[in-house]
Amino acid sequence: MRKPPPATKPTSKRVIADLKELAALTSDARGAQRVAWGPVWRKTRDWFTAKVKTELGLDTRRDGAGNLWATLPGASKDSLVIGSHLDSVPGGGWLDGCLGVLAGLEVLRREQAKGIPPLTLHLVDWADEEGARFGRSLTGSAASAGALDAHAELAHLVDRNGVKLPDALRENDVTLAGMGTARAYFDALDAAAYLELHIEQGPVLEAMKKPVGVVLGTMGVERYNLHFIGQAAHSGAAPIHLRKDAFLAAAQFALACREISVKYSGRTPRTRVVATCGVVKVEPNFVTAVPGSTEISIDLRALDGKVLGKMLADAKRASQRAAKTHLVTVAWSPLLHITPRPFDETLMKLVRASVKDVTGSAPELPSGPLHDAAEMAAIVPTAMVFAQSSPGISHTRLEDTPLPALDQSIRAFLLTVDRTIAHLARHAT
Ligand SMILES: [Zn+2]
């Protein structure tokens, strides 16, 4: 057993310096350009690999899905996995994803300086978290979680320029068959926990005036396309009571969905739910036509799976009522189903204590966006720390976190890791 670690207080200095260096290396006037499987992304990973080698003397490895791993061996093979993603959307921000990876690098630096850690530490840069080029997010982490059928889900995907995903993979020495081996690679790591630091990407912490938050889990999603079909007619000739107006039915449905989100939203962040009708397509779509056909999307999110199920049932009833009122029919087709992933209670306690120690309070919130941590939560105890976003937006070069909040989020994360290592070491084999 190593001596008790020297009282080196976690600092954010090197992480913030690395973030700035990476931004300068991989951004242009439109923002970060680290799109997965492309040349800037490869340059990013070369930079990261060189850093791991020169600063830690460690080699990186890639699994079959192209996830990039750095390992600091410990006294036990039981391990803590820390990760996030270096890839970005085109014109992305300077923090989304890379904050978590570079904070993880700081963890390895600190632990190596202390001696041999009681358990093994794995830092992972997940491949293609964003899905920006081919539309499939969380590719690498899903492969590691055994939740990706690469041949069925990826083989047919094509980017805007007509490049097939398997060809883009080949440029990076990754194959669809190789992706199927990522789960076995992960299983061999004996992971006891997964931790991730990420920016919130939304306005909740900013509105609460809190720099750092405890993430309760990632919300489940029910996403459907609804097609209301009535009868197109002349706007002057068709009396109101004889119309079959598909748009009015869709509009009534959209308002009902707002009511559903109000009805099921509790007062706490844990019980907040949302419903969004983001796409409406009306036909024939000109000013003198009663709409005969309207497609509308619905996206429902909640952290509690039972609540999400009730919201969906209510929305289905609301669509039937709207169809009946306006003498039209409605058909539902599924677009996306994601199970809610509440995080591990024990790890969340450690996050809560650390965030409180650094910032004085520990606000809790669910994550609406998905993260690699959502894939990990399905197979290993998982928790996340959120840094405030201000402005509360992301996937744009305007994405930012004020430096004091960024500093506190990094320190709270490093403290969380210290506590998690101490906790896991008590149970390590
Ligand atoms: Zn991200």
Side-chain angles (χ1 to χ4, degrees):
M1 236 5 181
R2 67 176 171 175
K3 283 184 245 128
T8 51
K9 274 198 172 171
T11 82
S12 63
K13 241 180 165 177
R14 289 183 292 201
V15 182
I16 293 174
D18 287 347
L19 284 164
K20 287 181 175 168
E21 191 184 326
L22 179 64
L25 189 72
T26 59
S27 311
D28 59 24
R30 292 162 297 143
Q33 304 297 344
R34 301 182 295 271
V35 178
W37 315 117
V40 181
W41 182 67
R42 283 193 289 273
K43 185 165 104 176
T44 301
R45 290 183 135 196
D46 288 347
W47 170 84
F48 176 73
T49 298
K51 242 181 164 25
V52 169
K53 184 73 188 172
T54 47
E55 296 192 24
L56 298 159
L58 297 174
D59 292 318
T60 51
R61 287 193 298 168
R62 289 194 331 165
D63 65 21
N67 300 312
L68 187 62
W69 296 87
T71 297
L72 183 65
S76 165
K77 195 177 170 293
D78 287 1
S79 70
L80 167 63
V81 178
I82 294 162
S84 202
H85 58 97
L86 289 173
D87 75 319
S88 76
V89 297
W94 73 296
L95 298 170
D96 180 357
C98 48
L99 170 61
V101 177
L102 296 174
L105 180 62
E106 178 67 9
V107 168
L108 297 194
R109 282 190 290 238
R110 291 185 77 227
E111 290 304 318
Q112 196 182 51
K114 288 184 205 168
I116 295 171
L119 63 159
T120 297
L121 300 172
H122 298 288
L123 169 60
V124 58
D125 163 31
W126 297 113
D128 201 0
E129 190 272 350
E130 297 287 3
R133 186 167 161 198
F134 293 98
R136 205 307 178 182
S137 321
L138 310 181
T139 306
S141 52
S144 287
L148 177 74
D149 182 342
H151 284 283
E153 294 182 52
L154 305 182
H156 62 285
L157 297 180
V158 178
D159 77 2
R160 235 175 250 186
N161 299 318
V163 178
K164 289 185 186 139
L165 177 55
D167 294 332
L169 294 182
R170 202 167 301 127
E171 288 174 22
N172 295 276
D173 302 319
V174 177
T175 62
L176 292 178
M179 289 215 162
T181 66
R183 175 68 201 256
Y185 183 99
F186 188 87
D187 285 343
L189 301 179
D190 293 327
Y194 175 81
L195 293 175
E196 182 169 351
L197 169 64
H198 203 281
I199 53 166
E200 184 206 330
Q201 302 179 280
V204 176
L205 288 171
E206 187 184 25
M208 294 164 92
K209 297 196 167 54
K210 300 291 184 189
V212 188
V214 181
V215 190
L216 295 162
T218 55
M219 287 173 148
V221 184
E222 292 286 4
R223 190 179 300 164
Y224 286 83
N225 189 52
L226 278 71
H227 196 174
F228 288 97
I229 297 174
Q231 177 61 57
H234 189 289
S235 68
I240 292 290
H241 71 283
L242 293 178
R243 288 184 183 185
K244 296 175 177 173
D245 188 325
F247 170 71
L248 285 182
Q252 183 177 320
F253 170 75
L255 289 171
C257 286
R258 187 182 186 281
E259 294 308 313
I260 289 167
S261 61
V262 171
K263 174 181 166 187
Y264 286 101
S265 268
R267 282 163 190 266
T268 63
R270 188 186 281 268
T271 53
R272 187 182 303 128
V273 303
V274 286
T276 307
C277 295
V279 173
V280 183
K281 286 183 213 154
V282 172
E283 279 178 33
N285 198 26
F286 54 84
V287 286
T288 54
V290 174
S293 157
T294 300
E295 287 181 54
I296 186 166
S297 66
I298 179 69
D299 177 286
L300 303 165
R301 296 184 189 225
L303 188 60
D304 182 326
K306 275 192 206 132
V307 171
L308 189 58
K310 284 184 192 169
M311 290 169 70
L312 181 60
D314 276 19
K316 284 191 171 159
R317 274 195 294 274
S319 75
Q320 295 296 348
R321 265 199 310 275
K324 205 172 162 198
T325 305
H326 297 281
L327 311 174
V328 303
T329 61
V330 60
W332 284 61
S333 36
L335 295 176
L336 182 71
H337 165 82
I338 289 168
T339 310
R341 299 267 187 234
F343 289 158
D344 182 74
E345 292 292 342
T346 306
L347 292 178
M348 274 198 290
K349 256 185 222 163
L350 305 177
V351 174
R352 221 174 273 133
S354 306
V355 173
K356 195 161 183 221
D357 281 355
V358 172
T359 71
S361 66
E364 301 182 338
L365 69 168
S367 175
L370 284 168
H371 293 287
D372 296 305
E375 294 293 353
M376 286 294 101
I379 58 167
V380 65
T382 290
M384 277 185 98
V385 176
F386 264 175
Q388 183 202 84
S389 289
S390 178
I393 52 174
S394 186
H395 287 186
T396 150
R397 69 187 166 83
L398 301 176
E399 161 197 301
D400 201 9
T401 297
L403 280 179
L406 190 59
D407 162 62
Q408 286 179 304
S409 73
I410 293 165
R411 287 192 287 125
F413 183 71
L414 295 174
L415 209 51
T416 300
V417 172
D418 286 351
R419 288 186 164 136
T420 303
I421 291 173
H423 167 75
L424 295 176
R426 286 198 285 275
H427 306 281
T429 47

